[in-house]
């Protein structure tokens, strides 16, 4: 029993001594770090404030275009708006065209009376929007129609610098 107590005492003493040595090393490291970490904090706080200011000025809207997430920084999506396709990791510009595919061959009267649709194939039609038309509103109107199967806003993914 005396040997057990001695072994436990030696183990405890060694553990405490190694803990003190590790603590002394970490205290030395933390003494050197405050200058660098405080500088990093100051820089990062400035960066965060700048990015918050920039983000306040931008609108970030998103929509699904045939299953792909697309975002844009504008209050409304109109012809000529620059967008970003997250699936393709590409920037593009909306052309103002919306393509829709119907479930049946015949064009519903409610769509033909409200929108000037051009027939492309048996079930496919194209709508060309005016310059100030909100494309998302038109897309949502098409999606709400029971006879419409697929709605897609056309985006031109040619290099943006070349298009403009």
């Amino acid at each position: 029993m005396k040997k057990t107590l001695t072994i436990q005492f030696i183990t405890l003493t060694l553990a405490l001594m190694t803990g003190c040595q590790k603590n002394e090393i970490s205290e030395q490291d933390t003494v050197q770090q405050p200058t660098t970490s405080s500088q990093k904090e100051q820089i990062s706080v400035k960066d965060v404030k700048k990015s918050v200011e920039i983000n306040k000025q931008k609108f970030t809207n998103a929509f699904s275009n045939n299953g792909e997430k697309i975002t844009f920084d504008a209050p409304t999506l109109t012809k000529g708006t620059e967008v970003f396709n997250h699936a393709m990791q590409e920037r593009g510009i909306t052309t103002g065209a919306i393509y829709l595919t119907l479930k049946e061959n015949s064009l519903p009267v409610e769509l033909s009376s409200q929108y000037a649709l051009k027939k492309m194939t048996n079930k496919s039609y194209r709508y060309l929007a005016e310059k100030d038309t909100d494309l998302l509103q038109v897309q949502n109107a098409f999606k709400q129609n029971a006879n419409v199967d697929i709605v897609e806003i056309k985006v031109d993914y040619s290099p943006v610098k070349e298009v403009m």
Side-chain angles (χ1 to χ4, degrees):
M1 175 130 162
K2 205 172 192 183
K3 284 184 179 182
T4 307
L5 287 175
T6 307
I7 292 172
Q8 288 177 350
F9 178 73
I10 292 172
T11 307
L12 182 62
T13 306
L14 287 173
L16 289 174
M17 288 176 60
T18 56
C20 290
Q21 289 173 352
K22 287 182 183 176
N23 201 10
E24 289 171 3
I25 293 169
S26 65
E27 284 177 16
Q28 289 173 355
D29 289 345
T30 57
V31 170
Q32 294 173 355
Q33 288 179 353
T35 56
T36 58
S37 66
S38 64
Q39 290 171 350
K40 287 179 184 177
E41 287 176 14
Q42 289 174 355
I43 292 169
S44 65
V45 168
K46 288 178 184 177
D47 291 342
V48 169
K49 286 181 181 179
K50 283 182 184 178
S51 65
V52 167
E53 290 296 322
I54 291 169
N55 286 337
K56 283 182 181 178
Q57 296 170 358
K58 288 185 178 180
F59 298 94
T60 302
N61 296 308
F63 68 98
S64 176
N65 198 30
N66 203 12
E68 295 179 344
K69 180 182 178 182
I70 296 184
T71 57
F72 60 98
D73 296 329
T76 58
L77 184 68
T78 57
K79 181 178 180 177
T81 302
E82 187 175 328
V83 297
F84 182 74
N85 185 321
H86 291 270
M88 296 176 18
Q89 295 293 307
E90 291 285 334
R91 293 201 173 280
I93 295 178
T94 55
T95 63
I98 299 176
Y99 291 91
L100 55 129
T101 304
L102 303 176
K103 293 178 181 176
E104 299 174 3
N105 279 342
S106 62
L107 181 64
V109 176
E110 61 269 12
L111 290 179
S112 62
S113 63
Q114 290 181 348
Y115 302 99
L117 296 171
K118 181 177 180 182
K119 187 172 186 173
M120 305 305 289
T121 63
N122 282 342
K123 296 181 182 181
S124 299
Y125 290 83
R126 180 184 69 199
Y127 170 74
L128 293 176
E130 299 292 324
K131 177 77 176 154
D132 296 332
T133 303
D134 187 349
L135 298 174
L136 289 180
Q137 286 182 350
V138 177
Q139 181 190 38
N140 289 334
F142 287 149
K143 284 182 177 180
Q144 290 176 359
N145 191 302
N147 295 318
V148 176
D149 189 25
I150 300 171
V151 180
E152 184 174 352
I153 296 174
K154 181 158 182 355
V155 178
D156 183 5
Y157 293 105
S158 300
V160 174
K161 292 178 184 175
E162 289 179 14
V163 175
M164 297 180 113

